[in-house]
Amino acid sequence: MGLQVTLVSAEEEVWTGEASLVVAKTTEGEIGFMQGHEPVLAILADAGQVRITEPSGTKVIADARDGFVSMEGKTLTIVAGHAALVS
């Protein structure tokens, strides 16, 4: 079982599922998350993307800004003021 990911905006749940890799743009730069990553709480950049790679290799890209990303155990939660799927 991979990383359990939830991406939500202020209006709706944008994407939820399992991922092998997630890369998010934070105020400190890009950070990648895989299963086993240490706990993290980081602020999303004012403009940027979240790139999700599903276990099958399919890539999901979303614009996400004005929020935070939290990694705890096998769960990655991304909460954004604005988030929308690009592909």
Side-chain angles (χ1 to χ4, degrees), residues 12-74:
E12 64 183 341
E13 182 175 88
V14 176
W15 190 88
T16 188
E18 191 174 333
S20 57
L21 173 67
V22 177
V23 178
K25 186 172 181 184
T26 71
T27 56
E28 301 295 317
E30 285 194 334
I31 185 168
F33 297 94
M34 298 175 78
Q35 186 175 349
H37 196 287
E38 65 184 53
V40 171
L41 180 61
I43 299 170
L44 290 174
D46 290 338
Q49 291 186 332
V50 173
R51 299 186 307 275
I52 301 165
T53 304
E54 296 177 330
S56 65
T58 301
K59 300 207 184 292
V60 176
I61 300 173
D63 285 328
R65 63 177 183 267
D66 301 327
F68 66 90
V69 57
S70 172
M71 176 73 188
E72 177 108 17
K74 295 180 181 179

